[in-house]
């Protein structure tokens, strides 16, 4: 089993960037989801309610980031001053984040058609993943909850096979916004894994990832006029464990070491456990 893709997402809910290799830090891939769009009150905004975020291309550069949307131009957002801050909410977490300058926020608001602001998870910002699942004091940025999301090619193939049997088309892995994709033929084998090791780095599989409406959206345009994996996940991937309800695809993982991994690296299962409970059809 080998790593077939590495991805990071500079802006939460923005487009992903593919990598050939990546550093792994305690918070995951450095730079992953270090920026976020919020409403003026500081509440996070994602593709769930603002589909146009999928059109935002964000590219790291010297001292900041280039933001672009096809047909609307581009802007450069530098790191804001450390004293330009506010408390922002991402799910149940409150994070004290740095806020971009007014010109950047005005441009993004015009592009996206509503009042928004860009915030940064800088070196003064602090957040940890759920201790119940990840253990104590594991740092995380603006990700939904955990440091790394892992998916497998075998599971995507099984999902697409069910979609095609039901005349629903197929979807690509980008719909699930993973950080690490493993080339592994067996569908849903990851439900049995306690964790994996890649290049000496241990990743503990701590919680399956419940999926939402974002998986129905084209990750270039934001359109929902595209094949949807939700019906298929409802047929074959509904959680039977009340702690994590809903359709599942991929696993949230916590890195326990630091280092560098590359596409093509071997991934080894550390240990196995009882599989996560999935509702049976019929």
């Amino acid at each position: 089993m080998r790593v077939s893709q590495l991805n990071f997402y500079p802006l939460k809910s923005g487009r992903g960037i593919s990598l050939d290799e990546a550093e792994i830090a305690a918070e995951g891939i450095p730079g992953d989801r270090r920026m976020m769009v919020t409403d003026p009150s500081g509440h996070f905004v994602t593709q769930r309610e603002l589909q146009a975020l999928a059109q935002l291309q964000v590219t790291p550069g010297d001292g900041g980031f280039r933001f672009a949307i096809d047909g609307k131009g581009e802007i450069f957002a530098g790191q804001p001053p450390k004293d330009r801050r506010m408390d922002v909410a991402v799910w149940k977490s409150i994070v004290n984040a740095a806020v971009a300058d007014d010109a950047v926020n005005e441009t993004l608001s015009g592009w996206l058609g509503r009042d928004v602001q860009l915030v940064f998870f800088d070196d003064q910002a602090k957040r940890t993943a759920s201790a119940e699942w990840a253990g104590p004091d594991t740092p995380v940025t603006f990700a939904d909850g955990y440091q790394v999301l892992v998916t497998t090619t075998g599971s995507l193939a099984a999902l697409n096979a069910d979609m095609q049997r039901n005349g629903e088309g197929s979807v690509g892995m980008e719909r699930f916004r993973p950080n690490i994709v493993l080339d592994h033929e067996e569908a849903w084998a990851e439900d049995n894994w306690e964790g994996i090791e890649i290049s000496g780095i241990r990743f503990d599989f701590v919680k399956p990832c419940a999926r939402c409406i974002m998986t129905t959206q084209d990750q270039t345009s934001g359109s929902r006029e595209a094949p949807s994996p939700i019906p298929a996940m409802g047929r074959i991937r509904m959680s039977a464990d009340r702690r994590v309800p809903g359709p599942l695809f991929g696993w949230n993982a916590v890195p326990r070491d630091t280092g560098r991994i590359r596409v093509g690296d071997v991934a080894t299962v550390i240990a196995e456990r009882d599989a996560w409970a999935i509702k049976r059809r019929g």
Side-chain angles (χ1 to χ4, degrees), residues 94-148:
I94 303 298
V95 179
N96 187 253
V99 182
D101 65 48
D102 290 342
V104 168
N105 293 333
E106 288 171 6
T107 299
L108 289 178
S109 296
W111 285 356
L112 297 172
R114 59 178 284 187
D115 287 340
V116 297
Q117 61 185 357
L118 177 68
V119 300
F120 290 73
F121 196 104
D122 63 4
D123 57 9
Q124 293 184 29
K126 306 295 179 186
R127 184 180 178 223
T128 56
S130 167
E132 177 185 359
W133 295 95
D137 303 322
T138 64
V140 67
T141 57
F142 287 135
D144 271 356
Y146 299 91
Q147 293 81 353
V148 174

Side-chain angles (χ1 to χ4, degrees), residues 12-282:
K12 183 177 181 68
S13 263
R15 288 187 187 173
I17 297 176
S18 296
L19 302 170
D20 293 325
E21 57 184 315
E23 291 289 336
I24 299 296
E27 71 275 15
I29 297 176
D32 187 56
R33 295 169 174 94
R34 282 270 175 176
M35 293 176 288
M36 181 172 72
V37 170
T38 77
D39 66 19
S41 72
H43 190 270
F44 77 121
V45 177
T46 71
Q47 288 184 41
R48 297 171 183 88
E49 62 270 19
L50 187 55
Q51 295 163 238
L53 281 171
Q55 300 172 26
L56 265 180
Q57 304 171 60
V58 183
T59 308
D62 291 339
F65 300 86
R66 171 184 168 272
F67 283 70
I69 287 185
D70 291 342
K72 295 185 178 181
E74 62 181 64
I75 57 172
F76 184 81
Q79 293 281 350
K82 293 185 182 296
D83 59 355
R84 183 179 166 90
R85 316 187 67 80
M86 71 178 296
D87 285 345
V88 299
V90 50
W91 297 113
K92 295 181 179 180
S93 299
I94 303 298
V95 179
N96 187 253
V99 182
D101 65 48
D102 290 342
V104 168
N105 293 333
E106 288 171 6
T107 299
L108 289 178
S109 296
W111 285 356
L112 297 172
R114 59 178 284 187
D115 287 340
V116 297
Q117 61 185 357
L118 177 68
V119 300
F120 290 73
F121 196 104
D122 63 4
D123 57 9
Q124 293 184 29
K126 306 295 179 186
R127 184 180 178 223
T128 56
S130 167
E132 177 185 359
W133 295 95
D137 303 322
T138 64
V140 67
T141 57
F142 287 135
D144 271 356
Y146 299 91
Q147 293 81 353
V148 174
L149 181 66
V150 182
T151 61
T152 72
T153 57
S155 295
L156 180 64
L159 183 67
N160 277 328
D162 185 89
M163 291 179 65
Q164 290 164 357
R165 281 194 297 270
N166 287 276
E168 296 164 352
S170 62
V171 296
M173 192 68 86
E174 74 280 355
R175 292 288 190 92
F176 302 97
R177 301 176 63 82
N179 297 113
I180 299 174
V181 180
L182 301 175
D183 189 2
H184 185 68
E185 291 184 0
E186 183 182 349
W188 322 121
E190 60 271 28
D191 286 350
N192 292 88
W193 299 343
E194 288 188 5
I196 57 174
E197 183 178 296
I198 307 171
S199 296
I201 303 170
R202 178 180 178 127
F203 297 85
D204 284 343
F205 282 27
V206 298
K207 189 180 183 183
C209 187
R211 310 313 304 217
C212 69
I213 197 171
M214 278 182 60
T215 63
T216 71
Q217 295 170 195
D218 183 282
Q219 286 301 300
T220 299
S221 67
S223 172
R224 293 178 187 161
E225 299 298 319
S228 170
I230 291 290
M233 288 192 288
R235 288 188 293 268
I236 65 175
R237 289 297 295 169
M238 287 299 293
S239 174
D241 188 324
R242 292 181 180 178
R243 295 176 300 165
V244 187
L248 307 178
F249 191 94
W251 273 80
N252 293 297
V254 179
R256 303 301 187 185
D257 309 283
T258 61
R260 180 175 286 272
I261 64 176
R262 297 170 176 82
V263 171
D265 281 352
V266 172
T268 304
V269 176
I270 295 168
E272 296 196 348
R273 60 187 170 198
D274 292 340
W276 190 269
I278 299 295
K279 292 180 181 178
R280 294 181 180 274
R281 286 186 287 180

